Amino acid sequence: MPMSIDALIRAANREDAQVPQYKLPDLFTFRDGRIVNTVALWRERREELLALFTESMYGHVPQCPVEQRATVVWKAGDFLEGLASASEIDLLLRTRHGAVTVRVLVVVPNGLTAAAPVFLGYNFYGNATVSMDPRITLGDTFVRNELAGVEANRLTESGRGGEAHRWPLEFLIRRGYAVVTACMGALAPDSPEHWRDGAARLFPSDESSSAGGAIAWWAWGLRQLMDYIVGDTRLDAQRVTVIGHSRLGKAALWAGAQDERFARVISNNSGCGGASLARRRLGETVEIINAIFPYWFCRNYHAYGQNVNSLPIDQHALLALVAPRQLHVASASEDWWADPRGEFLAAREASAAYRLYGKQGLTEDQTQADVSGNDCTIGGSVRYHRRTGKHDLLLADWERYV
């Protein structure tokens, strides 16, 4: 008889000493036995790995033309006491099956003589949570009832600025970065009953076992937002960093793996289904995540809950798909649920793909000693840091990202 969710959580491994022996799928071995030893062969292997992640884990989203239309809701040049210009854009996404509108907050430094590099990422509860500025609209997007100021799955005025600590806008603007963000719920509400009420409505219903779940749709939405950035001359589409925290770190990694227009990909505390190795079975596991959030991944992924070693991929391969672009994986010392050591090891293993391109990642001789303290930053084109503290996105993280 399957264990209850509570029992699974209570039984979760917290100790590195209890991690079972495992063998990771080899990055450079094709399914037909061929070995990668050139960039050209890696490009071929990359397509095979993308297909394996799509079929086994994240699931596919239908491919058909999407029309975009951007309408300015409001704009102002005196945001952050004149440091920046800000606007909210209603981005209409339409296919022949329907339309969805995503409200996008765009904040750009004033006084720049060239297009600004961009941090692109979702917020959890609405654009108004990233700043106390009263001009940012509350919106009407379905969000989880987890933040003070959210009532009946909708953000209220008392929730304004509730996640501002995760979006240090003044710090980023002073460093010359633009910020583009939208609420995750506009693309796929984070709910087992409602997740199909977002972008999935734009395509015919797909009930196959490899149909994409919510993470696939969040990733799809990030790619649509990248399309918008390409058309905004204030923003440098060649220098876009896609970033996500926790479940949104999973989405950022999957978007960055698929779409090579993203110059840099950042995973902040993304854990299971993101940057940490599934085969370690420490903290949240494939079985647990599919029990709690059965709508995040495709149904094929559920078959591996009690047999994770049969997965044809693991998360080091997902990170390797970002090569040779910049990759930054971040952990927190007290976030055992996301398995910080598993995130570090995945980034180290992924570095082999970077070495094919002559890029510096994490080296084979970097071990637990390199991340044994509560605060460390190591690496090159593959970068890893672990900061002191809990599961969160903090200024201490952003200071490393800029």
Side-chain angles (χ1 to χ4, degrees):
M1 182 177 178
M3 295 175 66
S4 68
I5 292 175
D6 287 345
L8 285 170
I9 293 172
R10 288 194 302 270
N13 175 30
R14 297 169 177 251
E15 302 295 334
D16 202 78
Q18 300 302 316
V19 169
Q21 289 189 337
Y22 61 89
K23 182 179 180 181
L24 293 176
D26 187 76
L27 273 183
F28 292 155
T29 302
F30 284 91
R31 304 206 87 185
D32 64 8
R34 288 179 296 145
I35 303 298
V36 172
N37 53 19
T38 66
V39 169
L41 280 172
W42 170 250
R43 297 295 301 175
E44 186 179 342
R45 170 65 169 157
R46 185 181 186 280
E47 292 304 311
E48 183 176 74
L49 288 169
L50 281 170
L52 288 171
F53 275 106
T54 299
E55 187 69 21
S56 303
M57 188 173 179
Y58 298 105
H60 61 80
V61 296
Q63 302 297 315
C64 76
V66 179
E67 173 196 349
Q68 280 198 12
R69 186 173 73 239
T71 303
V72 176
V73 178
W74 65 269
K75 62 181 179 179
D78 61 347
F79 196 72
L80 296 175
E81 298 183 348
L83 289 174
S85 297
S87 58
E88 278 191 292
I89 309 293
D90 271 351
L91 187 63
L92 179 75
L93 306 176
R94 183 190 299 277
T95 71
R96 60 190 179 89
H97 299 284
V100 167
T101 298
V102 182
R103 184 152 293 182
V104 186
L105 176 65
V106 182
V107 185
V108 185
N110 284 333
L112 295 182
T113 58
V118 181
F119 279 106
L120 166 65
Y122 290 123
N123 57 74
F124 284 88
Y125 303 103
N127 295 341
T129 64
V130 309
S131 168
M132 290 297 296
D133 192 296
R135 290 170 290 192
I136 303 176
T137 58
L138 293 176
D140 192 37
T141 302
F142 179 102
V143 296
R144 294 173 69 89
N145 289 324
E146 298 172 332
L147 183 76
V150 173
E151 299 176 6
N153 298 111
R154 296 296 186 276
L155 181 66
T156 69
E157 186 63 37
S158 63
R160 185 177 296 278
E163 287 207 301
H165 75 283
R166 288 181 170 170
W167 294 91
L169 295 179
E170 182 176 342
F171 170 77
L172 294 171
I173 291 297
R174 288 187 181 277
R175 294 297 294 266
Y177 289 91
V179 175
V180 177
T181 186
C183 182
M184 63 188 289
L187 278 303
D190 195 4
S191 160
E193 296 83 19
H194 300 288
W195 70 271
R196 287 188 175 91
D197 294 344
R201 294 192 291 109
L202 304 183
F203 301 90
S205 178
D206 184 352
E207 298 298 329
S208 70
S209 60
S210 63
I215 290 174
W217 286 108
W218 293 327
W220 179 88
L222 289 168
R223 300 175 70 182
Q224 299 302 311
L225 291 170
M226 183 64 184
D227 288 343
Y228 166 78
I229 289 170
V230 169
D232 189 327
T233 57
R234 301 171 301 167
L235 308 175
D236 187 346
Q238 301 302 311
R239 293 190 292 166
V240 177
T241 298
V242 62
I243 181 171
H245 167 63
S246 193
R247 65 199 65 184
L248 298 181
K250 308 178 204 302
L253 284 172
W254 185 225
Q258 296 174 88
D259 194 333
E260 295 181 280
R261 294 177 299 174
F262 293 116
R264 181 168 55 157
V265 181
I266 296 177
S267 152
N268 193 86
N269 303 180
S270 63
C272 181
S276 66
L277 293 172
R279 281 167 169 78
R280 279 174 50 82
R281 304 183 205 176
L282 192 149
E284 189 170 37
T285 63
V286 173
E287 183 177 17
I288 292 172
I289 203 169
N290 281 324
I292 300 175
F293 303 107
Y295 56 96
W296 279 6
F297 301 93
C298 73
R299 292 203 307 274
N300 284 341
Y301 194 48
H302 294 214
Y304 298 104
Q306 296 184 22
N307 190 23
V308 70
N309 288 330
S310 64
L311 262 173
I313 37 82
D314 210 320
Q315 300 311 102
H316 66 307
L318 177 69
L319 302 185
L321 293 175
V322 179
R325 295 163 293 141
Q326 294 180 14
L327 170 70
H328 196 135
V329 174
S331 305
S333 62
E334 298 175 45
D335 189 14
W336 68 273
W337 192 243
D339 186 13
R341 174 139 175 87
E343 293 180 319
F344 161 70
L345 290 173
R348 194 182 72 179
E349 293 297 319
S351 297
Y354 284 77
R355 288 191 286 274
L356 275 179
Y357 290 91
K359 301 285 187 178
Q360 178 189 354
L362 304 178
T363 61
E364 291 298 325
D365 60 353
Q366 284 174 317
T367 63
Q368 176 67 16
D370 294 292
V371 291
S372 58
N374 286 334
D375 208 323
C376 72
T377 306
I378 55 176
S381 292
V382 179
R383 200 160 179 82
Y384 174 85
H385 85 252
R386 183 168 70 184
R387 59 151 172 82
T388 303
K390 300 181 183 297
H391 185 80
D392 209 344
L393 175 58
L394 303 176
L395 178 59
D397 299 304
W398 286 104
E399 288 172 340
R400 291 163 169 89
Y401 299 147
V402 299

